[in-house]
Amino acid sequence: MTAEASEYDKAVPAVSAFLERMERGIDRTSATHAGQPYATVREALVLALEEEGARPMVPQVVDELARQISEGTNR
């Protein structure tokens, strides 16, 4: 059990950093592309996530985030 907790503790900083990069990319895209067509939002989101270093991303997650930003329902 101790080894598992130790592995978890080691992973937390990397996961936190990834989520921060992901959030920055989402926030940037929301600020500039909310309400725009899905395809436009998705392209901008992919670029923003790449620029923030939030890769790799699950395509279905990107699709859903782009849909929410496009519809203005992401927050």
Side-chain angles (χ1 to χ4, degrees):
M1 189 78 170
T2 305
E4 290 177 22
S6 177
E7 292 300 315
Y8 174 83
D9 292 338
K10 290 178 188 176
V12 168
V15 172
S16 293
F18 178 81
L19 291 174
E20 287 174 10
R21 291 188 301 268
M22 187 174 154
E23 186 172 20
R24 283 193 304 266
I26 293 167
D27 288 346
R28 283 176 43 197
T29 306
S30 293
T32 58
H33 289 79
Q36 293 188 22
Y38 168 84
T40 302
V41 172
R42 191 178 191 294
E43 184 177 327
L45 180 59
V46 167
L47 180 61
L49 292 170
E50 287 176 355
E51 288 174 351
E52 292 294 341
R55 298 295 283 172
M57 286 293 300
V58 177
Q60 293 86 348
V61 172
V62 176
D63 292 344
E64 179 60 18
L65 290 168
R67 183 194 64 77
Q68 290 178 17
I69 294 167
S70 178
E71 293 176 357
T73 60
N74 66 315
R75 299 247 176 185

